C-alpha cells in the first residue's frame, strides 16, 4: 500500500525524509489559501462543503458539528483528524477523549475519516506506522487505519476539486 500524509506548508522536508517515514506522498497545505481543504472551525466551512468546493475538512478542535458531519456524508467529503499536540497532561487527555468521540460519531455516520500529522516542522512529522497505531488507539481497526491513510488522505487532494 502507498501511504500519504498532510503537513502544513511551513514543514520543510525532502524526498529522503518522505520515503524514510514510509509515505509515497506527503502533501503540504496552507488551509488559509488552499481551496481543497478547510478547517471545521472556519465560518465558511459549511458553505464550502455544501457547494462541493472542498474535498476535505480538518477538525483540529475535535468538536462534533452534527450538521457539518451530515453534510460531509452527503457530499462524500473526507474528515481529516490531526494528531493532538503534546500539551499539558490534562489538556491532552481531554483532547484524546473528544477525538475518540469524534471518530466514533464519524464512523457511526459513515463519513470517510482519515488521520494526518498536520506537522508544522520536521520535528513533528511521524511515520505511517505511528499514524496507524494512533488510529487504532482512537478506535479504528488496523485494516481501516491502513485504508484511510492510503486512500482517503490522497483523496483529500482530489484533482477535480482542486481546479475549482
Amino acid at each position: 500500500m502507498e501511504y500519504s500524509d498532510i503537513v502544513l506548508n511551513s514543514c520543510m522536508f525532502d524526498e529522503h525524509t518522505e520515503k524514510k517515514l514510509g509515505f509515497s506522498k506527503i502533501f503540504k497545505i496552507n488551509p488559509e489559501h488552499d481551496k481543497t481543504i478547510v478547517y471545521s472551525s472556519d465560518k465558511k466551512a459549511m458553505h464550502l462543503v455544501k457547494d462541493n468546493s472542498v474535498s476535505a475538512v480538518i477538525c483540529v478542535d475535535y468538536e462534533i458539528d452534527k450538521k457539518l458531519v451530515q453534510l460531509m456524508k452527503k457530499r462524500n467529503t473526507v474528515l481529516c483528524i490531526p494528531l493532538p499536540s503534546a500539551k499539558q497532561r490534562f489538556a491532552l487527555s481531554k483532547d484524546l477523549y473528544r477525538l475518540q468521540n469524534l471518530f466514533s460519531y464519524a464512523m457511526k455516520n459513515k463519513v470517510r475519516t482519515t488521520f494526518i500529522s498536520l506537522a508544522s516542522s520536521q520535528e513533528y512529522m511521524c511515520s505511517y506506522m505511528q499514524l496507524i497505531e494512533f488510529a487504532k488507539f482512537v478506535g479504528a481497526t488496523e485494516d481501516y487505519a491502513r485504508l484511510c491513510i492510503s486512500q482517503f488522505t490522497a483523496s483529500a487532494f482530489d484533482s477535480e476539486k482542486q481546479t475549482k
Side-chain angles (χ1 to χ4, degrees):
M1 286 187 147
E2 294 186 358
Y3 300 103
S4 305
D5 192 16
I6 299 174
V7 298
L8 292 174
N9 202 34
S10 60
C11 185
M12 298 298 163
F13 61 92
D14 57 13
E15 190 175 310
H16 174 72
T17 304
E18 190 174 51
K19 299 301 178 205
K20 184 177 166 185
L21 294 173
F23 295 109
S24 59
K25 181 70 177 162
I26 298 178
F27 300 99
K28 285 182 153 188
I29 63 158
N30 183 350
E32 285 80 35
H33 298 100
D34 199 300
K35 294 187 179 357
T36 60
I37 296 179
V38 66
Y39 283 121
S40 62
S41 58
D42 188 341
K43 294 176 183 171
K44 299 176 189 173
M46 186 73 82
H47 297 293
L48 292 171
V49 172
K50 192 175 194 175
D51 293 342
N52 213 21
S53 55
V54 293
S55 54
V57 175
I58 299 173
C59 188
V60 285
D61 59 3
Y62 313 122
E63 290 290 323
I64 299 172
D65 183 341
K66 293 179 180 181
K67 288 181 182 180
L68 183 59
V69 170
Q70 291 302 318
L71 191 58
M72 289 173 66
K73 177 184 176 184
K74 189 176 182 180
R75 299 287 190 225
N76 203 24
T77 305
V78 177
L79 173 63
C80 296
I81 300 176
L83 275 72
S85 62
K87 308 178 214 177
Q88 297 174 351
R89 289 182 186 162
F90 179 72
L92 180 59
S93 65
K94 184 179 174 183
D95 282 349
L96 289 173
Y97 174 76
R98 291 168 52 200
L99 198 150
Q100 288 172 331
N101 286 337
L102 173 64
F103 179 71
S104 175
Y105 186 79
M107 290 294 88
K108 185 170 68 173
N109 287 283
K110 298 182 174 128
V111 173
R112 295 184 311 151
T113 305
T114 191
F115 296 88
I116 60 174
S117 67
L118 202 62
S120 58
S121 64
Q122 193 169 356
E123 296 92 44
Y124 296 108
M125 293 176 77
C126 60
S127 71
Y128 81 96
M129 279 306 298
Q130 289 171 309
L131 283 177
I132 289 171
E133 290 302 317
F134 179 73
K136 287 169 44 181
F137 175 73
V138 170
T141 64
E142 184 163 348
D143 290 338
Y144 183 80
R146 288 181 182 278
L147 172 75
C148 70
I149 295 168
S150 67
Q151 292 181 8
F152 298 162
T153 303
S155 70
F157 285 87
D158 185 344
S159 60
E160 179 182 313
K161 290 184 180 181
Q162 279 184 346
T163 58
K164 288 187 177 183

